[in-house]
Amino acid sequence: MIRILHYGLSSNRGGIETYLNKLWNNIDRSTFKFDFIDTNIEKPCFYDEFKGLGSNFYKITHRNISISKNKRDLENLFKQESFDILHCHLNTLSYIEPVLIALNHGCEVIVHSRSSGASNSLVTNLLHYYHSIVLPKNKIKKVAVSNLAGKWLFGKTTNFQTINNGVDINKFKFNSDNRERLRRELNIEDKFVVGNVGAFLPAKNHGFILKIFKELIQIKPEAILLLIGTGPLKKEVQNLVYEMNLQEKVYFLGIREDIPELLSAMDFFLFPSIFEGFPNAVLEAQTSGLPCLISDVITDEVVLSKECIRLPLNLPTENWVNNILNFNMFSNRDQGSIAVEQTGYSVKDEIKKVEKLYYSVLF
């Protein structure tokens, strides 16, 4: 049994959390065992599901509570337990203590870049810059979810392996029955449904989404907006909806287990993020055959169909609205899943690459 210890699982459901859930549910569990470092105050995402699959959670004091206790907890963990690989899922290099301590204890380390940028926090950016210098890059396996993400975390001149996200084709392909049922349940049968799936974080750019949508309804008054997810900025976005008098038009659906069905119910997918690693949400939307309008700071590796268009964030909202209106809304949505599978982005392909990665690190 190959023991993999993962770091990066938070209590907010985001890209890393959904990735780990997908990975653990599809990998060969007779060969690999996943355990998790838990520095969260609240219960980590998918805690019950992962425990049900046999995972252990090792509680580590968060560095914001005590840097010294954080280090001591990590030292004790690697002294007491024998892991084959530490797999770190990082958006920035602001915190690399698990990497350093694991290496000191002879544990193989994979550092996996999951984003292509950081928030405007001065402390985060200073720590990221400093640790980019001290990170022992020659002693770790460097992996990124996209070319942009790899260059962000490891530097433009550093070699790294890219493993793009994959998607469960059968789960996310368009389903007309689910579309009709969800639209009926939400009482939006006669609406033009725009959607976004993402945590309420600065990178997701919800304020810009609302500006685009407000202008869109001047032309298409039957339009509504579905916002799926949760996060620290949710209340702020809800307040903005009221300030813009959009409360009758914007639906906050929270965390949902029926994302594939909701994607089938949508007519358009809007995703103007400020930065991303390789957004699963866009991949899933394309698999559902949805027209997608995304920001051009998102890697072009995620553009798998002709109905996914990247647009500069500095363009006026009018340009974004015009692009939404100019999309062909009557295309065959069944073609979405075919296009994604043909480009090699199925979850089966992804799992094979990850298993090969683990073997390459150990043997």
Side-chain angles (χ1 to χ4, degrees):
M1 183 70 72
I2 297 173
R3 293 189 70 188
I4 316 291
L5 178 65
H6 290 275
Y7 170 75
L9 185 68
S10 76
S11 55
N12 290 317
R13 187 180 300 195
I16 292 175
E17 290 73 28
T18 54
Y19 172 78
L20 285 169
N21 185 43
K22 173 180 60 178
L23 201 60
W24 197 199
N25 275 284
N26 288 280
I27 205 164
D28 180 5
R29 293 197 294 276
S30 67
T31 302
F32 301 97
K33 183 179 188 298
F34 282 7
D35 293 322
F36 299 89
I37 290 176
D38 177 13
T39 63
N40 301 283
I41 296 173
E42 299 178 357
K43 183 186 287 189
C45 261
F46 302 113
Y47 177 86
D48 294 329
E49 293 90 333
F50 291 167
K51 289 285 283 187
L53 293 174
S55 293
N56 297 312
F57 284 79
Y58 297 98
K59 198 69 181 177
I60 302 294
T61 303
H62 196 283
R63 65 190 185 279
N64 289 347
I65 296 174
S66 171
I67 293 175
S68 61
K69 197 167 189 318
N70 173 264
K71 291 182 179 181
R72 188 162 62 250
D73 289 349
L74 286 169
E75 287 284 356
N76 289 336
L77 173 60
F78 283 96
K79 284 178 183 177
Q80 295 167 8
E81 298 288 338
S82 179
F83 301 104
D84 296 294
I85 299 172
L86 170 67
H87 191 161
C88 281
H89 307 266
L90 304 179
N91 292 322
T92 76
L93 292 174
S94 59
Y95 175 65
I96 61 170
E97 204 62 43
V99 174
L100 302 178
I101 291 176
L103 288 172
N104 286 339
H105 286 269
C107 183
E108 300 291 342
V109 175
I110 298 169
V111 174
H112 200 153
S113 177
R114 303 293 306 177
S115 184
S116 62
S119 64
N120 293 324
S121 167
L122 178 61
V123 173
T124 295
N125 283 283
L126 285 174
L127 286 171
H128 175 80
Y129 175 74
Y130 172 69
H131 288 150
S132 69
I133 298 171
V134 303
L135 181 72
K137 297 177 184 176
N138 61 324
K139 296 182 180 180
I140 63 173
K141 181 70 174 180
K142 300 173 289 295
V143 181
V145 73
S146 68
N147 189 44
L148 282 177
K151 290 179 178 179
W152 154 248
L153 207 74
F154 304 117
K156 294 181 180 179
T157 60
T158 303
N159 292 326
F160 54 86
Q161 179 181 352
T162 301
I163 301 180
N164 298 131
N165 290 341
V167 63
D168 187 330
I169 303 292
N170 290 328
K171 181 178 179 181
F172 283 92
K173 66 182 180 182
F174 177 70
N175 185 299
S176 58
D177 291 336
N178 287 336
R179 174 182 172 85
E180 292 177 11
R181 177 176 57 81
L182 259 294
R183 289 173 73 95
R184 188 166 56 249
E185 289 177 4
L186 294 171
N187 196 26
I188 55 173
E189 295 164 277
D190 58 343
K191 306 297 184 182
F192 176 71
V193 183
V194 180
N196 175 275
V197 181
F200 286 85
L201 297 168
K204 301 303 182 181
N205 212 5
H206 283 91
F208 191 54
I209 292 174
L210 294 178
K211 288 180 182 178
I212 295 169
F213 180 70
K214 186 173 179 63
E215 190 163 332
L216 174 67
I217 60 174
Q218 305 305 313
I219 305 169
K220 289 183 76 69
E222 74 278 15
I224 63 151
L225 176 64
L226 303 183
L227 297 179
I228 302 165
T230 189
L233 296 183
K234 183 175 180 179
K235 186 63 178 177
E236 182 178 312
V237 176
Q238 288 175 323
N239 290 338
L240 189 56
V241 165
Y242 278 96
E243 290 174 13
M244 300 172 75
N245 198 29
L246 294 173
Q247 56 267 36
E248 300 299 322
K249 292 284 190 176
V250 179
Y251 293 50
F252 289 86
L253 299 186
I255 293 292
R256 301 281 296 221
E257 300 299 331
D258 57 348
I259 300 297
E261 290 85 351
L262 285 166
L263 290 174
S264 287
M266 295 176 191
D267 298 301
F268 198 90
F269 196 76
L270 183 59
F271 204 81
S273 291
I274 299 170
F275 56 83
E276 291 280 349
F278 186 96
N280 261 342
V282 176
L283 191 59
E284 292 162 358
Q286 288 179 92
T287 306
S288 185
L290 273 173
C292 301
L293 190 59
I294 68 177
S295 57
D296 69 346
V297 297
I298 297 173
T299 178
D300 59 4
E301 295 163 89
V302 79
V303 179
L304 305 180
S305 74
K306 59 182 176 57
E307 294 194 353
C308 181
I309 292 179
R310 297 159 77 236
L311 210 60
L313 284 170
N314 59 5
L315 286 180
T317 53
E318 179 184 359
N319 293 71
W320 286 74
V321 171
N322 288 337
N323 272 271
I324 294 173
L325 296 173
N326 289 334
F327 266 97
N328 177 15
M329 300 300 172
F330 301 98
S331 60
N332 182 3
R333 287 186 59 172
D334 293 325
Q335 293 299 312
S337 59
I338 296 172
V340 172
E341 187 162 26
Q342 287 177 342
T343 50
Y345 282 83
S346 73
V347 68
K348 293 179 181 178
D349 292 324
E350 181 186 19
I351 296 300
K352 288 178 183 176
K353 292 174 185 176
V354 173
E355 290 181 345
K356 188 176 180 180
L357 167 68
Y358 290 151
Y359 287 128
S360 72
V361 169
L362 293 174
F363 308 112

